[in-house]
Amino acid sequence: MERTNWIEKQAKLYRNLALTGRYQAVVHLEDKEDETFWNYQLQSIKPGRYRYLYFSKSNDGKDTRGCEQCLKFRPYLTTRFFICIDSDLRLLRGETELSAKNFIAQTYTYSWENHLCEASHFNERMKQVQMKIDFDTQAFLTSFSRIVYQPLLYLIRYGADCRINQLWNVSKFNACIPLQPKRTDLADNGKEYLKTVQSLFDTAISGLTEEPANANGTLNPQNAYLHIQGHQLYKLMLHIGTLLCKGTGIAFRTNILNEGLHTTGYDEIEMLQHDLKSILNN
C-alpha cells in the first residue's frame, strides 16, 4: 500500500485555502506565539487577512510544530503559501537556500524575541517611559555583544561537527550568561555583570582546540547579541528591566519590552521586511 505524502497533500490544501478563503496568504509558523510578531511585519507591508498555521501533520500523520516541520514544505511553497521561521544558527552557518526566492521568510536574528531587544529601539523605549533611569541599555548591549562575539564563532564551528559538538554547544554557551544579575551588578551600565560574563566565557572556551569559524559577513561584534538564543536574551533583559523599573509603577514587560515591534532602523529587520515584500510581490 502506497504511503500517504501528508506534506504534499497539505500543501495543496493550503494553497487552495488562500484562494477559497480570500486570504492574502496562508502562512506556516513554528508555533502560535510567533503570530503577533509576524502579523505585525506582514500587515505593515500588505494589510489584509492572513491564515496562520501553528502546526501541521508530519508524514507519520502526527501533528507537529517547529522549524523543521515548516521546512518540510519547501518544495511546495508559493506566494500564497509560505513559511516564516527563526533563523537560529542557520544564517550564521551560511544556509543560503533559506531565502525569499524559495518563499521562506526568516528573522535574520536567532529568533523573533531578539528583535524586541534591539539596542537602539530598546534604549529609546526606556527613555520615553522611564526618563530618570541610571542605566544605558544601548551601552550595555553593545558591550555584551562584543563579549559573546568570539564564543559565537566557536559555537558555529563546534555546532557544525557532531564529533565535537559536546565540547561547545548552545547549552554550554547559555550557561555562561547568568539571567538574574543583582541590582548592584548593574551599576555603571552593568560593569560587574559584564565582567562576570566575560570571565565565564574566557574560562569555558580556553580549552577549545579547534579554530573558531570565520565570520561570514553576517555576524560582527556589534550585532552578535542578536544571534544568541532569543529566549535567553529576552529573559535577561526582562530581569534587568524589571529591576530598573522596580518601585516606579511601570510594568516593564508590558509597557516597554513587549512594545518593541518595529519595521525599520537596523539591518536585520530591514532584510526581513525586504524578504516579505519579495514573497508577497509587493
Side-chain angles (χ1 to χ4, degrees):
M1 183 177 177
E2 187 176 351
R3 188 179 182 185
T4 300
N5 185 332
W6 282 104
I7 299 299
E8 182 178 14
K9 187 175 182 179
Q10 289 171 106
K12 290 178 180 177
L13 171 66
Y14 300 146
R15 289 198 300 262
N16 290 334
L17 180 60
L19 296 172
T20 59
R22 297 185 179 181
Y23 295 106
Q24 298 282 19
V26 173
V27 184
H28 202 316
L29 308 176
E30 294 186 31
D31 209 337
K32 182 177 175 59
E33 65 180 10
D34 302 351
E35 181 178 341
T36 298
F37 174 81
W38 285 109
N39 189 59
Y40 186 89
Q41 301 301 321
L42 287 163
Q43 295 296 339
S44 73
I45 296 167
K46 194 169 187 176
R49 296 173 65 234
Y50 292 86
R51 174 68 178 269
Y52 295 103
L53 308 174
Y54 314 128
F55 61 89
S56 52
K57 290 193 180 297
S58 67
N59 272 329
D60 294 328
K62 297 178 181 178
D63 290 345
T64 308
R65 290 174 167 79
C67 184
E68 293 304 321
Q69 177 66 10
C70 289
L71 289 172
K72 289 176 182 176
F73 287 94
R74 273 187 287 190
Y76 313 107
L77 300 175
T78 69
T79 192
R80 287 286 194 167
F81 169 51
F82 56 90
I83 63 175
C84 294
I85 61 173
D86 292 335
S87 295
D88 295 339
L89 293 177
R90 297 178 185 86
L91 179 67
L92 303 185
R93 291 174 183 147
E95 296 186 21
T96 56
E97 72 276 9
L98 305 183
S99 66
K101 69 179 181 180
N102 294 324
F103 306 102
I104 300 172
Q106 61 175 312
T107 54
Y108 287 97
T109 59
Y110 192 101
S111 67
W112 61 266
E113 289 96 336
N114 298 77
H115 286 289
L116 298 180
C117 302
E118 191 276 324
S120 60
H121 288 84
F122 193 110
N123 205 47
E124 283 303 309
R125 295 197 305 279
M126 288 291 286
K127 288 179 180 179
Q128 289 170 6
V129 177
Q130 173 60 308
M131 299 295 291
K132 297 181 180 179
I133 196 165
D134 62 341
F135 187 87
D136 187 326
T137 52
Q138 187 161 6
F140 170 79
L141 284 169
T142 298
S143 298
F144 178 78
S145 191
R146 292 194 190 103
I147 292 170
V148 301
Y149 173 66
Q150 189 75 0
L152 261 177
L153 290 176
Y154 277 107
L155 186 61
I156 298 164
R157 170 67 184 92
Y158 277 73
D161 190 336
C162 62
R163 297 171 301 173
I164 57 175
N165 178 252
Q166 73 277 8
L167 300 176
W168 189 239
N169 50 45
V170 171
S171 294
K172 291 180 181 292
F173 181 97
N174 288 345
C176 296
I177 305 176
L179 298 181
Q180 295 187 327
K182 298 176 181 178
R183 181 64 175 89
T184 53
D185 292 336
L186 301 182
D188 196 12
N189 297 326
K191 183 177 180 180
E192 286 304 312
Y193 172 76
L194 292 168
K195 284 172 61 176
T196 297
V197 174
Q198 181 73 72
S199 177
L200 288 169
F201 273 120
D202 287 346
T203 300
I205 67 175
S206 62
L208 301 180
T209 57
E210 299 289 332
E211 289 295 315
N214 294 319
N216 64 3
T218 299
L219 185 68
N220 58 60
Q222 291 71 45
N223 69 12
Y225 75 103
L226 292 174
H227 295 280
I228 73 170
Q229 203 167 44
H231 287 301
Q232 296 297 107
L233 183 63
Y234 182 93
K235 289 176 183 176
L236 173 63
M237 298 313 295
L238 172 60
H239 180 77
I240 289 174
T242 301
L243 286 180
L244 296 174
C245 292
K246 188 175 182 180
T248 66
I250 296 170
F252 175 76
R253 186 201 296 262
T254 303
N255 296 338
I256 299 178
L257 186 55
N258 288 352
E259 288 295 311
L261 294 173
H262 33 259
T263 58
T264 61
Y266 58 101
D267 289 346
E268 290 78 8
I269 200 68
E270 291 179 1
M271 289 188 290
L272 180 157
Q273 283 273 310
H274 179 271
D275 283 356
L276 288 176
K277 289 175 183 177
S278 176
I279 291 170
L280 291 167
N281 294 321
N282 207 50

